[in-house]
Amino acid sequence: MKQFRSFIRKEFYHILRDRRTLFILLGMPVIQIIIFGFALTNEVTNSKYAVLDNAKDIVSQKLIQRIEASQYFEGATRLYSYDDIAKAFRKGAIKIAIVIPPHFAEDLGQLHTAQVQLVADASDPNVANTLVNYASAIINDFQQNEFNKDQQLPYRILAEQRMLYNPQLKGAYNFVPGVMAMVLLLVCTMMTAITIVKEKETGTMEIMLVSPLQPLLIVVAKAVPYLLLSIINIISILLLSVYVLEVPVQGNLFLLIGESILFTLVSLSLGLLISAGSNSQQTAMFISLIGMFLPTVMFSGFMFPVENMPKPMQVISNIVPAKWYYTVVKSVMIKGVGFKAIWKETLVLTAMLFFFLGMAIRNFKIRLA
Amino acid sequence: MQPDYAITAKDLTKRFGDFTAVDKISFEVSRGEIFGFLGANGAGKTTAMRMLCGLSLPSAGTATVAGFDVYRDNERIKKRIGYMSQKFSLYEDLTVKENIRFYGGIYGRSDLFIKEQTGYLLQHLRLEKEGNTLVRALPLGWKQKLAFSVAIFHEPDIVFLDEPTGGVDPVTRREFWNMIYEASAKGITVFVTTHYLDEAEYCNRVSIMVDGKIEALDSPSALKQQFSAASMDGVFLQLARKAKRTEG
């Protein structure tokens, strides 16, 4: 115990003396949450649009006002002919054009039908798709309010969409779990790997191996400070997501934290395993970044949906621990489900923990060559 | 095995694949002796030392350290030895006191022991004022002396020094050797590898390794007589010229 305490005290000195690294470790999750929350969002707002109003009647005016009032569109360009549409798109001034036919109000009033054309710049298909959806939704909403209040049309089919769990389609629901996985992996795997390899590089590892310290104790003592740092990071990410991004924790908070600690332990053992296989800090860093970080971003489902990947890729994604953790966080945090719904993921993560830790301890060389 | 030997080796061998780094070396080191372990680069001295410290498992032969077998009683040996490696082995981002406390701690020494001994040690090294200085800020000579003091802080039976005076100025080297004599006077056996042949003269006995084998082993004066050389330099050169391998 005495040995263990001395060792952990030393590890804390290392971490606390290196202010820059400490700042990065604790500041990174905060910065990532803020960047993902406010800069890198796939929500499309304040798009420039154009209107070609061939009707110029009261109803068309109202519709245009309605579109202008939404947060998704702003800065209407008035167009006067079809040719103007192409010009406006070519100039890059607009993302979508709304064409209102002549006799708009009359048609609606008498025939109960009118067609509004939505022309979008599909050079960016995602944005085009989103904008067309927004515009359609606004138009539907408009006709509902304007006409269906007092008139009951006998045949009217309304397609109603409902977005489950995330009615506002906030991007934050997707990336908060992703950022948690990324940060924990980076802090635990990379830092643990580097800190052990550093001792190999400076030669202090030899001294430790000559001393009566048990190898297991060295490994555990190295990991403990990073486990604590990670718990601080988990808490700060959760606080930020709840209070700044307004993504609530729907499920049990303790279950969420417990699962996060499990994932942290998996990451730590991966770090230990990497350190056993590398002899320089650079190698350790490269293996952590390329071997861990990239697969996490690609295969956890946080950037690219795993369901859309070809089968072999989907199979590969199963060996990425972050994929399982990401599912767990999404289930507990966003959907609010209990342990029953995530026992399978928990089991996989636990199995990974024992596998990696076992490998790491086995490979940790008591005797150097 | 006689109990008054600190180290014994019998036909100790280490092979890496086809390469025999250490080839059947045999010797005994008495308690309290200063035993010099000489050889050119690649002669196998570091490998031999690492086997005795438990950092490397011998391929063949037997050896005992502090009366314990290197194969079976590794953990007991570890408690009885101190080790100072070629690479500087203190933590640069820890203060002098923190380093001492850490090494005292991993050898399981009590807080009281560590506190008392730290005070004594700093006074002895005339580093009282630098107790809370980061080791990084100390001159190399002081660092080496501190590293040696830390290696014997837990009062081991035997201390292994792997080229401890590399890159140190002659005055500091002299002071360093005074510290070795003090340790030896306290009964600590000193096993030291070195490149400096003037340092070989300070040892009680010297062994010279060439290509993995011990070619000569005796007191410096006896060796000089045997090879009819004026200094250890002469002895060493006669033996080292026989070497076939250069790096290993």
Side-chain angles (χ1 to χ4, degrees):
Chain A
M1 231 21 234
K2 166 90 192 148
Q3 292 178 326
F4 194 57
R5 266 190 295 133
S6 305
F7 206 115
I8 289 189
R9 192 189 304 120
K10 176 199 77 119
E11 290 304 315
F12 273 108
Y13 285 141
H14 287 321
I15 294 173
L16 296 174
R17 296 266 153 84
D18 191 353
R19 287 285 157 82
R20 249 185 317 185
T21 310
L22 182 65
F23 180 76
I24 292 170
L25 291 183
L26 292 177
M28 187 174 58
V30 175
I31 290 164
Q32 279 194 338
I33 285 282
I34 289 171
I35 289 177
F36 278 102
F38 296 103
L40 298 179
T41 164
N42 34 23
E43 290 172 54
V44 183
T45 55
N46 300 332
S47 302
K48 296 271 188 278
Y49 72 109
V51 178
L52 173 57
D53 185 357
N54 292 321
K56 295 203 178 65
D57 52 35
I58 299 177
V59 183
S60 72
Q61 290 301 321
K62 271 191 182 167
L63 177 60
I64 293 165
Q65 276 168 20
R66 188 59 182 278
I67 291 167
E68 182 70 45
S70 86
Q71 58 163 316
Y72 303 112
F73 300 101
E74 66 159 27
T77 312
R78 284 278 168 181
L79 304 176
Y80 300 97
S81 71
Y82 273 98
D83 294 342
D84 289 350
I85 298 178
K87 276 184 207 154
F89 274 122
R90 249 178 266 136
K91 262 166 57 189
I94 57 165
K95 295 253 190 276
I96 187 168
I98 296 155
V99 183
I100 300 172
H103 320 299
F104 185 56
E106 286 163 51
D107 285 359
L108 271 176
Q110 291 161 14
L111 307 171
H112 301 304
T113 173
Q115 284 194 325
V116 173
Q117 197 180 12
L118 300 171
V119 185
D121 173 3
S123 57
D124 185 338
N126 289 333
V127 171
N129 215 346
T130 312
L131 287 177
V132 168
N133 283 336
Y134 287 157
S136 313
I138 292 169
I139 293 166
N140 272 331
D141 194 42
F142 173 76
Q143 65 177 3
Q144 188 90 352
N145 288 339
E146 288 295 310
F147 300 99
N148 287 17
K149 279 189 295 209
D150 30 73
Q151 294 172 26
Q152 285 296 321
L153 292 177
Y155 304 108
R156 195 155 192 53
I157 298 164
L158 275 178
E160 196 190 308
Q161 294 181 345
R162 277 186 64 206
M163 295 299 177
L164 290 177
Y165 311 119
N166 183 7
Q168 295 151 284
L169 291 179
K170 273 198 197 166
Y173 281 78
N174 200 25
F175 73 75
V176 168
V179 169
M180 285 185 69
M182 252 165 37
V183 166
L184 293 180
L185 198 81
L186 212 62
V187 171
C188 301
T189 308
M190 194 161 97
M191 293 314 293
T192 333
I194 288 177
T195 176
I196 293 183
V197 173
K198 193 174 174 182
E199 300 237 11
K200 282 196 204 171
E201 265 186 8
T202 54
T204 44
M205 187 57 87
E206 267 187 38
I207 305 287
M208 232 111 61
L209 295 175
V210 173
S211 82
L213 278 177
Q214 293 296 321
L216 183 66
L217 193 137
I218 300 178
V219 169
V220 175
K222 278 277 173 196
V224 165
Y226 292 100
L227 179 64
L228 288 179
L229 271 182
S230 300
I231 293 174
I232 296 176
N233 277 337
I234 293 169
I235 292 168
S236 73
I237 293 174
L238 287 180
L239 285 175
L240 276 172
S241 64
V242 171
Y243 292 106
V244 179
L245 302 172
E246 294 168 345
V247 178
V249 178
Q250 301 285 6
N252 187 324
L253 181 65
F254 293 100
L255 178 61
L256 183 60
I257 291 179
E259 294 282 344
S260 300
I261 291 174
L262 175 62
F263 179 68
T264 306
L265 293 173
V266 175
S267 311
L268 284 171
S269 38
L270 270 171
L272 297 174
L273 188 58
I274 291 173
S275 74
S278 36
N279 283 317
S280 79
Q281 293 184 58
Q282 275 102 326
T283 318
M285 196 138 86
F286 270 116
I287 298 178
S288 307
L289 281 177
I290 293 169
M292 297 293 132
F293 196 63
L294 261 156
T296 298
V297 172
M298 311 251 286
F299 289 118
S300 67
F302 133 67
M303 292 253 180
F304 313 105
V306 175
E307 295 81 3
N308 296 354
M309 292 178 185
K311 261 274 172 283
M313 294 289 204
Q314 291 191 27
V315 173
I316 293 173
S317 79
N318 286 330
I319 59 166
V320 179
K323 181 205 155 170
W324 302 96
Y325 175 64
Y326 178 72
T327 313
V328 166
V329 177
K330 261 173 92 163
S331 307
V332 176
M333 195 167 171
I334 315 292
K335 294 187 195 164
V337 300
F339 182 71
K340 258 189 210 155
I342 52 161
W343 67 270
K344 206 178 90 187
E345 283 80 4
T346 312
L347 192 69
V348 172
L349 284 174
T350 314
M352 283 179 166
L353 171 63
F354 283 109
F355 178 72
F356 291 136
L357 197 62
M359 291 264 288
I361 291 171
R362 230 190 56 162
N363 285 315
F364 188 82
K365 291 184 188 67
I366 311 166
R367 296 164 189 273
L368 299 164
Chain B
M1 190 205 80
Q2 283 169 280
D4 39 71
Y5 286 129
I7 306 168
T8 64
K10 184 95 183 54
D11 296 333
L12 196 63
T13 304
K14 179 74 185 184
R15 280 183 291 265
F16 299 103
D18 293 340
F19 177 70
T20 308
V22 175
D23 194 1
K24 290 187 183 169
I25 58 170
S26 303
F27 59 89
E28 287 93 29
V29 181
S30 310
R31 284 192 195 283
E33 189 176 1
I34 300 174
F35 188 80
F37 209 58
L38 274 64
N41 287 336
K45 29 183 218 309
T46 299
T47 309
M49 185 182 236
R50 292 166 74 92
M51 284 191 279
L52 297 174
C53 294
L55 284 172
S56 176
L57 204 61
S59 310
T62 57
T64 64
V65 175
F68 298 111
D69 186 275
V70 289
Y71 295 95
R72 282 173 294 136
D73 286 322
N74 214 301
E75 293 310 312
R76 278 150 116 176
I77 292 175
K78 284 179 173 183
K79 288 191 182 121
R80 304 290 201 91
I81 61 171
Y83 175 67
M84 183 177 166
S85 76
Q86 250 167 9
K87 286 186 191 169
F88 178 66
S89 48
L90 297 175
Y91 292 98
E92 301 246 338
D93 57 341
L94 262 59
T95 66
V96 173
K97 278 185 183 168
E98 285 162 359
N99 265 296
I100 299 173
R101 197 171 168 201
F102 170 67
Y103 284 109
I106 62 172
Y107 279 93
R109 289 296 179 264
S110 73
D111 288 336
L112 186 72
F113 175 90
I114 292 172
K115 212 176 152 212
E116 280 179 6
Q117 290 296 307
T118 304
Y120 169 75
L121 193 155
L122 291 181
Q123 197 186 6
H124 189 65
L125 289 175
R126 281 168 289 150
L127 278 174
E128 294 106 319
K129 283 193 201 119
E130 279 77 17
N132 293 316
T133 309
L134 293 185
V135 165
R136 184 186 293 144
L138 294 180
L140 180 69
W142 286 16
K143 284 185 194 172
Q144 296 294 80
K145 285 194 273 182
L146 183 62
F148 176 69
S149 307
V150 167
I152 58 167
F153 186 78
H154 59 286
E155 300 174 327
D157 293 349
I158 304 154
V159 65
F160 291 90
L161 310 172
D162 195 3
E163 287 172 23
T165 52
V168 171
D169 67 75
V171 177
T172 314
R173 259 169 62 198
R174 186 68 239 194
E175 287 171 2
F176 194 92
W177 273 91
N178 282 338
M179 291 177 72
I180 292 180
Y181 275 120
E182 280 170 31
S184 165
K186 276 193 238 164
I188 299 178
T189 308
V190 181
F191 186 98
V192 56
T193 72
T194 181
H195 273 317
Y196 297 104
L197 292 158
D198 57 327
E199 287 187 350
E201 312 257 3
Y202 302 147
C203 300
N204 299 132
R205 279 192 312 149
V206 171
S207 82
I208 298 175
M209 269 185 92
V210 179
D211 288 353
K213 294 190 176 76
I214 291 182
E215 291 291 334
L217 199 170
D218 214 328
S219 67
S221 52
L223 283 176
K224 278 184 279 191
Q225 214 164 29
Q226 184 188 335
F227 289 86
S228 43
S231 69
M232 282 304 292
D233 255 343
V235 177
F236 187 77
L237 284 173
Q238 284 185 41
L239 287 167
R241 280 203 189 100
K242 289 200 262 173
K244 286 182 190 71
R245 66 187 192 219
T246 47
E247 279 302 322

